[in-house]
């Protein structure tokens, strides 16, 4: 089994609640909020824990909210490397409108990091031995250079680790230009990688193969929401479609997918099965309300259904 490390430059406390109806200019009574530690790599580490595995989460933490964030991860028994930050860890708010079934997600600005803080995050990765997978996921806060994931890609190569990236915008392009093991873009992010504003369905595989041929990654897992994911390598091109489920929330579904793929690969399973497992994890996450991630029982049930469907 290979050691897994996740790195998150913009962690947050996710506060989720619900109201009877979301109305303007009214004092709205909220349900008791649920507070969970969030951010791309944090969620990946938490989902791997739920699956029965272990991943070490590296992240910056600052202020009162940072201390409470650390406490939330400690309660979940997640191994961590905490980089002290001079600014407060951010909070996000998710509100569910009972009257319409709509969910509203309010993302606060990322907590700025100074040079010493983001460099300390990189050093923390360097200091860990025997890493099999490095997972970098999430947005970048102010102060962090856009080529930070490209720097991590070089670091991963030096350590002989597989580097997995789930981000967007210029940071995604910088990482791809350096070359990584696995990218997990959605369709919009695939357009960014291709330098296009839109893609026709018939163009997706062509563009994916061009990205791989250019050496930007070995594996592309293109997230397609309720339609599942497309796995593309030099040799493979498969769409993994999950069973229909009653979705309550899509928060954390992408992170759960990444967690499932990496966890399954780290246990020696082949790529196709690992992506099936990841799709099962992402689908399982949508069965839960708010910011909850996948749970193992749902994952195993959906994974069994996926395996039967491809036989």
């Amino acid at each position: 089994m290979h050691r897994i490390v996740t790195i998150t430059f913009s962690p947050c406390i996710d506060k989720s609640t619900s109201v009877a109806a979301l109305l303007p200019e009214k004092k709205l009574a909220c349900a008791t909020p649920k507070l969970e530690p969030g951010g791309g790599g944090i969620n990946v580490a938490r989902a791997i824990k739920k699956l029965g595995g272990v991943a070490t989460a590296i992240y910056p933490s600052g202020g009162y909210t940072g201390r409470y964030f650390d406490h939330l991860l400690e309660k979940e028994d997640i191994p961590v490397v905490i980089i002290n930050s001079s600014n407060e860890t951010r909070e996000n708010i998710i509100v569910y409108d009972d009257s319409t079934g709509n969910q509203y997600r309010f993302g606060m600005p990322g907590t700025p990091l100074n040079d010493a803080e983001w460099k300390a995050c990189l050093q923390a990765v360097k200091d860990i031995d025997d890493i099999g997978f490095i997972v970098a996921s999430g947005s970048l806060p102010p102060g962090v250079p856009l080529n930070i994931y490209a720097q991590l890609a070089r670091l991963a190569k030096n350590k002989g680790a597989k580097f997995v990236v789930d981000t967007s915008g210029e940071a995604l392009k910088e990482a791809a230009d350096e070359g990584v093991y696995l990218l997990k873009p959605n369709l919009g992010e695939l357009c960014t990688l291709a330098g296009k504003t839109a893609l026709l369905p018939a163009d997706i595989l062509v563009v994916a193969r061009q990205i791989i041929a250019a050496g930007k990654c070995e594996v592309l897992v293109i997230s397609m929401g309720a339609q599942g994911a497309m796995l593309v390598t030099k040799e493979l091109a498969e769409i993994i479609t999950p069973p229909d489920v009653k979705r309550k929330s899509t928060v954390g579904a992408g992170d759960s997918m990444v967690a499932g793929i990496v966890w399954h690969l780290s246990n020696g399973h082949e790529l196709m099965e690992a992506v099936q497992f990841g799709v099962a994890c992402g689908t399982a996450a949508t069965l839960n309300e708010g910011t909850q991630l996948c749970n193992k029982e749902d994952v195993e049930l959906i994974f069994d259904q996926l395996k039967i469907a491809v036989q």
Side-chain angles (χ1 to χ4, degrees):
M1 189 180 300
H2 297 291
R3 188 169 189 175
I4 302 168
V5 170
T6 74
I7 185 163
T8 310
F9 291 100
S10 192
C12 61
I13 295 175
D14 285 326
K15 289 184 175 181
S16 56
T17 186
S18 63
V19 294
L22 198 61
L23 302 170
E25 305 298 332
K26 299 288 184 181
K27 188 174 183 179
L28 305 177
C30 297
T32 302
K34 184 175 181 64
L35 277 65
E36 294 180 292
I42 297 296
N43 284 337
V44 171
R46 293 176 63 224
I48 287 173
K49 177 70 175 182
K50 290 175 181 290
L51 295 170
V54 178
T56 299
I58 298 170
Y59 64 93
S61 174
Y64 171 78
T65 51
R67 291 194 296 274
Y68 191 71
F69 184 93
D70 303 340
H71 164 71
L72 291 173
L73 280 180
E74 183 180 0
K75 284 174 61 178
E76 295 189 25
D77 197 25
I78 306 295
V80 299
V81 178
I82 301 169
I83 307 303
N84 292 323
S85 169
S86 55
N87 293 311
E88 291 272 340
T89 297
R90 69 187 175 122
E91 299 176 283
N92 288 340
I93 300 170
I94 299 95
V95 180
Y96 187 82
D97 185 337
D98 292 334
S99 68
T100 63
N102 292 328
Q103 183 185 78
Y104 297 86
R105 300 166 63 177
F106 301 91
M108 302 301 161
T111 300
L113 298 181
N114 61 40
D115 285 358
E117 290 162 354
W118 66 257
K119 287 178 180 177
C121 291
L122 294 186
Q123 187 62 47
V125 179
K126 292 179 184 178
D127 291 342
I128 299 176
D129 296 325
D130 303 320
I131 301 177
F133 292 87
I134 300 172
V135 181
S137 180
S139 59
L140 298 180
V144 177
L146 292 174
N147 72 347
I148 191 75
Y149 290 153
Q151 294 185 52
L152 276 166
R154 291 191 290 273
L155 195 161
K157 291 171 186 174
N158 290 336
K159 296 181 80 70
K162 288 182 167 64
F163 188 39
V164 178
V165 178
D166 183 12
T167 190
S168 59
E170 191 61 32
L172 174 64
K173 291 172 64 178
E174 292 269 4
D177 287 344
E178 180 62 34
V180 307
Y181 171 65
L182 187 151
L183 293 172
K184 192 205 74 65
N186 58 29
L187 292 175
E189 291 157 357
L190 186 67
C191 288
T192 297
L193 286 172
K196 299 178 181 296
T197 56
L199 288 172
L200 297 173
D203 297 332
I204 294 173
L205 179 56
V206 174
V207 165
R209 282 270 162 79
Q210 289 172 345
I211 290 168
I212 291 170
K216 296 182 183 296
C217 64
E218 296 179 40
V219 180
L220 266 175
V221 179
I222 304 161
S223 178
M224 301 189 296
Q227 284 70 50
M230 177 185 287
L231 164 64
V232 184
T233 68
K234 287 182 179 178
E235 298 82 18
L236 291 172
E238 298 284 346
I239 294 176
I240 297 99
T241 304
D244 289 333
V245 297
K246 185 176 181 181
R247 301 199 300 171
K248 295 181 180 178
S249 172
T250 59
V251 179
D255 297 327
S256 293
M257 179 191 287
V258 171
I261 294 170
V262 173
W263 172 236
H264 219 58
L265 287 173
S266 75
N267 281 281
H269 296 283
E270 54 91 20
L271 181 60
M272 179 65 185
E273 184 177 303
V275 177
Q276 288 176 329
F277 189 76
V279 169
C281 292
T283 305
T286 69
L287 301 176
N288 300 312
E289 295 179 348
T291 57
Q292 297 178 62
L293 302 170
C294 60
N295 68 64
K296 191 174 181 180
E297 294 75 18
D298 291 334
V299 170
E300 290 174 346
L301 179 62
I302 296 169
F303 184 45
D304 286 342
Q305 291 175 296
L306 277 171
K307 287 191 291 186
I308 291 170
V310 299
Q311 287 178 354

